[in-house]
Amino acid sequence: MGWRIGEPIMDTCRVIFVSLSLVILVLSTRVPGTAQDRPLRIYADERGFLIGTAVAMTPFRSESIYNETLKNEFNILVAENAFKWDSVRPSRDTFNFADTDALVDFAEANHMKIRGHTLVWHSQIPSWLSGGNFTRDEVISILREHILTIVGRYRGRVWAWDVVNEAVNDSSGALRTSSFWFQTIGPDYIKLAFEYARDGDPDARLYYNDYSIEDLGAKSTGVYNLMSSLKSQGAPIDGVGWQMHQINGFRTDPAHKTNAKRIAGLGLEISITEMDVRMSLPSAPDDLNQQSIAYRDAINFCLTTPNCTALLTWGFTDKHSWIPGFFAGWGDALIFDSSYQPKPAYFALRDALIQGADSAPAISGAQRDRKKLLINGGGFLEGAEFFINGEKQKKVFNSLESPSVTLVAKKSGKKVRTGDILLVKNPDGLFSNEFVYSH
Ligand code: G3I
């Protein structure tokens, strides 16, 4: 085979091409110890965001890998049970702070914030109290002493308290009247609890915490009305905790945005306080991928919602989760598996923290074109969803000419009215700004 001009050049090109693709490969792969492979809290700290988990005392006291993962990955923690009445208050005259002290010391030693959960709840009330036949005034003084003692003990150390937990009825949105506190004190117990907590710590964030309140249903409206009335009475409330105990398949939608906005309108922040995404067992790889979408949606929702301050999961490893004990045949709800290996959900949280809200879509204008509505802006990903007043629009496509800056809503031209709220949600869960349409 004769030697031809140019041969050496071809070899050189081939070598350059191979090494270039190698570099790209290395850069895109999560190589341990590289920029793409650091714990969640590093990226969260860089964004001033709080990513955390509930802590169970048994593994906390017995499994070193549990504590290692806890302090490496998270910048905020909450006790799953240790701060509750049945743990802290074994009798009327005694407080047991062994577990709570250990947790607060651990958090401070590892530069983690602490959420205190919970000062007033209808569950886990010790029998000396629920069966004590105390008068209304006696229960009020017991409650006051309890809150001043525990909040005072951790003044300036606990960042936020779930002062009242789950006081609203699921279906009606009215106050839960079966609660020991409602039965003995009456509806005032809520305002009293917030006032005692504020007396205990002038600076801690004071939250109302509940489940199934992230959308726009009767319960979340009940909570909204309760917060609005308490604020108008001057009660010291800073935020609302969305527990977010979800079932696999969960996705965020504009209703969550509208709900967060009305809560912001009361001057309140929100936190996602107890997230888990349960699935029926045994779980399959597709289930885990579906689960990662739910967690990605939730964190991207929080990163693009100005008054959302934190996302905490209710535990972090499937080895220690309340789900299997309360929902037979369900589980795998968390971001690490039972061998403490990160699941797709973990990487979804991390990628969202790395990416941040910077690549969120943005709407800058919209105009009718006969039956169609053209939505202009930027950052529209393939498959972006489009909503008018929270209603998802059908037949929405990225324009062929400029897919990332124009969406075509084939059926919405005739429907849209001046004053309507337009919103885009990308497949990665990042929401756009709310754009008010004018003709
Ligand atoms: O401490 C006792 C222990 O002495 C006893 O041997 C053992 C056996 O029964 O029970 C232990 O108490 C259990 C406690 O958790 C501590 O592990 C209770 O039975 C059990 O009911 C309790 O469950 C907790 C549940 O709240 C109580 O309603 C779960 O761990 C905890 O994850 C769950 O957390 C709640 C939040 O506080 C509020 N939002 C919903 C969330 C899930 O229900």
Side-chain angles (χ1 to χ4, degrees):
M1 186 171 76
W3 187 83
R4 287 193 304 282
I5 297 291
E7 211 53 44
I9 296 172
M10 283 305 293
D11 290 348
T12 323
C13 294
R14 213 172 283 120
V15 170
I16 291 169
F17 172 74
V18 170
S19 40
L20 259 181
S21 37
L22 264 178
V23 168
I24 292 163
L25 182 69
V26 167
L27 283 179
S28 62
T29 313
R30 295 187 181 94
V31 178
T34 66
Q36 297 291 340
D37 186 51
R38 296 179 295 165
L40 293 179
R41 69 172 296 172
I42 303 292
Y43 305 111
D45 287 342
E46 284 166 3
R47 291 195 177 284
F49 186 75
L50 296 172
I51 187 85
T53 180
V55 178
M57 294 314 293
T58 306
F60 177 78
R61 292 200 179 283
S62 61
E63 291 182 43
S64 57
I65 187 172
Y66 186 92
N67 292 17
E68 282 305 307
T69 309
L70 179 59
K71 70 181 179 189
N72 288 339
E73 295 289 347
F74 303 105
N75 57 16
I76 185 168
L77 63 78
V78 59
E80 185 173 3
N81 289 294
F83 277 81
K84 293 174 181 171
W85 275 80
D86 62 353
S87 300
V88 166
R89 199 70 187 275
S91 74
R92 182 170 184 180
D93 308 320
T94 53
F95 283 84
N96 169 8
F97 292 121
D99 286 348
T100 49
D101 283 354
L103 270 180
V104 173
D105 293 346
F106 175 89
E108 289 178 339
N110 295 290
H111 312 293
M112 302 167 82
K113 284 190 185 321
I114 306 148
R115 297 193 87 256
H117 174 83
T118 175
L119 299 172
V120 181
W121 187 25
H122 61 266
S123 183
Q124 291 181 277
I125 296 178
S127 55
W128 69 263
L129 178 56
S130 54
N133 289 323
F134 296 107
T135 65
R136 179 177 187 274
D137 290 347
E138 285 173 328
V139 175
I140 289 175
S141 94
I142 290 169
L143 177 63
R144 184 172 180 282
E145 178 210 19
H146 183 86
I147 293 178
L148 288 178
T149 304
I150 189 170
V151 175
R153 183 180 184 85
Y154 300 114
R155 176 182 301 189
R157 304 175 72 192
V158 164
W159 173 72
W161 287 96
D162 289 336
V163 178
V164 175
N165 189 50
E166 302 175 13
V168 168
N169 182 286
D170 291 358
S171 48
S172 67
L175 285 185
R176 194 191 280 269
T177 54
S178 59
S179 152
F180 164 82
W181 304 104
F182 187 97
Q183 296 279 323
T184 52
I185 298 176
D188 303 351
Y189 80 89
I190 298 174
K191 185 165 177 282
L192 288 172
F194 277 96
E195 289 166 351
Y196 298 153
R198 181 54 75 225
D199 295 344
D201 187 334
D203 303 315
R205 317 297 298 160
L206 301 182
Y207 272 67
Y208 172 79
N209 192 51
D210 213 327
Y211 58 88
S212 303
I213 60 168
E214 59 274 357
D215 60 9
L216 283 176
K219 187 175 183 181
S220 81
T221 299
V223 169
Y224 173 78
N225 294 338
L226 173 63
M227 295 302 109
S228 175
S229 128
L230 287 167
K231 287 289 282 185
S232 65
Q233 296 168 55
I237 303 182
D238 301 302
V240 176
W242 291 356
Q243 292 182 9
M244 292 272 276
H245 294 289
Q246 303 294 355
I247 293 175
N248 211 16
F250 169 79
R251 299 294 313 261
T252 53
D253 67 38
H256 300 127
K257 277 280 173 188
T258 309
N259 190 21
K261 200 170 166 205
R262 67 175 177 176
I263 292 171
L266 296 175
L268 298 175
E269 59 196 42
I270 58 173
S271 286
I272 294 174
T273 55
E274 305 185 11
M275 187 165 183
D276 48 28
V277 182
R278 62 183 179 273
M279 57 189 77
S280 60
L281 300 176
S283 60
D286 281 359
D287 300 326
L288 299 183
N289 292 333
Q290 179 69 45
Q291 181 186 54
S292 71
I293 293 171
Y295 276 103
R296 185 193 58 197
D297 262 21
I299 195 163
N300 278 335
F301 169 85
C302 209
L303 290 169
T304 54
T305 302
N307 64 326
C308 188
T309 59
L311 188 154
L312 289 88
T313 55
W314 205 238
F316 58 92
T317 165
D318 294 332
K319 186 177 179 183
H320 300 290
S321 164
W322 73 291
I323 298 287
F326 281 74
F327 302 96
W330 290 75
D332 291 357
L334 298 168
I335 64 173
F336 286 87
D337 66 18
S338 52
S339 312
Y340 292 91
Q341 293 309 305
K343 294 161 65 177
Y346 171 90
F347 295 115
L349 289 178
R350 191 169 60 182
D351 294 351
L353 285 168
I354 293 172
Q355 173 191 308
D358 319 339
S359 56
I363 304 175
S364 57
Q367 68 273 346
R368 279 190 188 143
D369 171 8
R370 286 163 290 155
K371 283 192 183 154
K372 288 186 284 187
L373 183 65
L374 306 180
I375 301 102
N376 301 313
F380 301 147
L381 298 180
E382 201 60 38
E385 297 171 333
F386 171 58
F387 302 84
I388 299 179
N389 300 331
E391 190 197 332
K392 186 175 173 186
Q393 301 299 298
K394 296 192 177 72
K395 300 209 171 294
V396 175
F397 307 97
N398 297 68
S399 85
L400 295 175
E401 300 74 32
S402 46
S404 69
V405 294
T406 303
L407 289 178
V408 182
K410 289 204 165 173
K411 299 276 182 196
S412 308
K414 292 260 178 273
K415 201 186 279 183
V416 71
R417 296 284 174 276
T418 293
D420 282 352
I421 306 287
L422 310 186
L423 191 70
V424 169
K425 180 189 175 191
N426 270 342
D428 63 6
L430 284 170
F431 282 93
S432 72
N433 53 310
E434 290 192 334
F435 182 85
V436 181
Y437 177 79
S438 59
H439 199 40

